[in-house]
Amino acid sequence: MNFSTAQTDTAQHARPLSVADARRHFTGGRGYLAACTSGLPSLGTRAAVIADLDAASGGHVDLGGYCATVENSRALFGRLVGVEASRVAIGSQVSVTTALLAASLPAGAEVLVAEGDFSSVVLPFVHSPHVLIVRTAPLELLAEAITDNTALVVFSVVQSSTGEVADTTAIVAAARAHNARTFCDATQAIGWLRLDATQFDALVCHAYKWLCSPRGVSFLTVSPRLAADIPALFAGWYAGGDPWSTCYGGEGDLADDASRFDVSPAWQAFVGAEPALELFASIDPAELYDYTTDLAAAFRRRMALPAPERPSAIVTWSDPDGEQLSQLNAAGITASGRAGRARVAFHVFNDMTDVALAASALGR
């Protein structure tokens, strides 16, 4: 793809945005503790989507502009995770990307999956048409469970149901020692937890949670050694080396970089994603990490919950009958419940007032 990414190149040299400045890009965060379910649109995302709808309803649909938006979004995501845009493919859902990884494995290959991980990174391996051996281990024991028989290690960097943060250093080191490849879902991480995608063979992220983008925008990064084994299972017109000139018939060549794994982009979703990605790529990542995890830690202290081994912006606790989630909702707090646990998340649009409101709703 040869669309311009001048916007991103300029932004790379800009001074990092403080959390205080980033907070001004959101207006509806009070009492919203569900970024782990769906992020809130920034003012920039709202303005971009409305402007696009107004233009389209007036008969002005700019396909070239849409392509430029997609390519800039690709480059911005690469910037967020430390890889070149050429190593980033665009998608729409985590499960679709996971199916590509499943298709890269030979029949009978062993896939080691974190126990209780999100279904979208598990089911495509379980239901692969060429039967794979799927083995599970608790996240905290995943590194120890890797053997010479393991072909691929699959895990979410941050667990959706518990907020637990994986020991990526140990997992990656063990995988390398056994010549296994690694595939991580970073959907619950990128946007508050800085990650270097080059340490993994593949990384997927759906941007509608912590990156506050419209649903339907996801990204995949792949290492050169894994890219060679992945079939272009969902190849369409946008996977071509020059999409607009090879969008008919079957003679066109696929792109020679990660964009060969692209699915056709949802234009309007990327229109909303681009300003969100620009915003998060501009925020000082260390400050954002400290800000979100400090809020979560303050809530844990109010709730007398133990501190996790690795700080997380997500806090969960046992709530088998949903009573405490109901208390939060009754107090106007938007939270969620997963796997018999109540779950709250603290993002850039939250502050200590949200901590106090949620704790008070629960009698703390």
Side-chain angles (χ1 to χ4, degrees):
M1 304 280 182
N2 295 311
F3 302 109
S4 172
T5 57
Q7 249 183 301
T8 301
D9 293 338
T10 300
Q12 281 182 313
H13 302 289
R15 193 173 187 175
L17 195 67
S18 70
V19 168
D21 287 334
R23 284 174 51 75
R24 298 188 182 101
H25 290 256
F26 296 91
T27 59
R30 178 64 66 232
Y32 188 84
L33 301 181
C36 53
T37 301
S38 181
L40 297 179
S42 67
L43 294 175
T45 289
R46 181 178 185 276
V49 171
I50 290 173
D52 178 66
L53 287 173
D54 286 345
S57 64
H60 302 289
V61 177
D62 181 5
L63 297 184
Y66 284 148
C67 283
T69 292
V70 171
E71 295 311 310
N72 194 43
S73 297
R74 187 197 307 272
L76 284 164
F77 184 79
R79 179 179 156 202
L80 273 164
V81 297
V83 299
E84 296 294 324
S86 61
R87 285 184 55 176
V88 180
I90 63 163
S92 58
Q93 306 293 337
V94 167
S95 57
V96 174
T97 295
T98 305
L100 280 179
L101 272 293
S104 75
L105 298 170
E110 181 185 281
V111 181
L112 177 63
V113 180
E115 191 174 279
D117 214 328
F118 195 65
S119 294
S120 291
V121 292
V122 178
L123 292 181
F125 296 106
V126 173
H127 297 287
S128 172
H130 51 282
V131 178
L132 302 172
I133 299 170
V134 179
R135 188 163 60 89
T136 65
L139 184 66
E140 65 274 16
L141 299 177
L142 198 63
E144 299 171 26
I146 302 170
T147 72
D148 289 343
N149 293 325
T150 307
L152 184 68
V153 185
V154 179
F155 64 100
S156 294
V157 175
V158 179
Q159 291 292 298
S160 173
S161 62
T162 65
E164 183 181 0
V165 179
D167 185 349
T168 56
T169 301
I171 293 170
V172 169
R176 288 175 179 166
H178 292 284
N179 200 32
R181 293 174 177 177
T182 50
F183 171 46
C184 79
D185 178 3
T187 299
Q188 291 288 7
I190 300 174
W192 69 270
L193 177 62
R194 189 173 191 174
L195 283 177
D196 175 5
T198 63
Q199 66 182 310
F200 310 109
D201 287 288
L203 175 149
V204 66
C205 177
H206 200 155
Y208 78 104
K209 293 182 184 286
W210 295 89
L211 289 173
C212 297
S213 299
R215 186 170 170 85
V217 173
S218 69
F219 299 95
L220 166 71
T221 70
V222 290
S223 67
R225 74 166 183 163
L226 180 57
D229 293 341
I230 300 177
L233 193 63
F234 306 114
W237 75 278
Y238 209 74
D242 184 7
W244 289 110
S245 66
T246 59
C247 55
Y248 294 99
E251 302 304 316
D253 292 329
L254 293 177
D256 58 7
D257 60 13
S259 63
R260 70 189 289 113
F261 307 122
D262 285 358
V263 299
S264 184
W267 301 127
Q268 290 79 10
F270 274 92
V271 166
E274 183 183 28
L277 293 166
E278 183 76 58
L279 173 62
F280 282 99
S282 301
I283 303 173
D284 182 324
E287 185 183 351
L288 180 58
Y289 171 81
D290 288 343
Y291 183 82
T292 54
T293 57
D294 285 352
L295 289 176
F299 179 75
R300 286 190 184 91
R301 289 192 294 272
R302 288 282 294 262
M303 293 290 293
L305 295 171
E309 185 174 352
R310 283 167 290 279
S312 178
I314 301 173
V315 183
T316 71
W317 63 97
S318 180
D319 185 31
D321 57 5
E323 181 181 350
Q324 294 194 52
L325 177 59
S326 295
Q327 287 178 279
L328 289 168
N329 292 338
I333 306 294
T334 303
S336 54
R338 295 291 185 272
R341 303 179 69 82
R343 185 179 69 162
V344 294
F346 297 89
H347 206 5
V348 63
F349 43 71
N350 300 122
D351 58 22
M352 286 299 296
T353 299
D354 295 304
V355 171
L357 288 172
S360 295
L362 296 169
R364 298 298 182 109

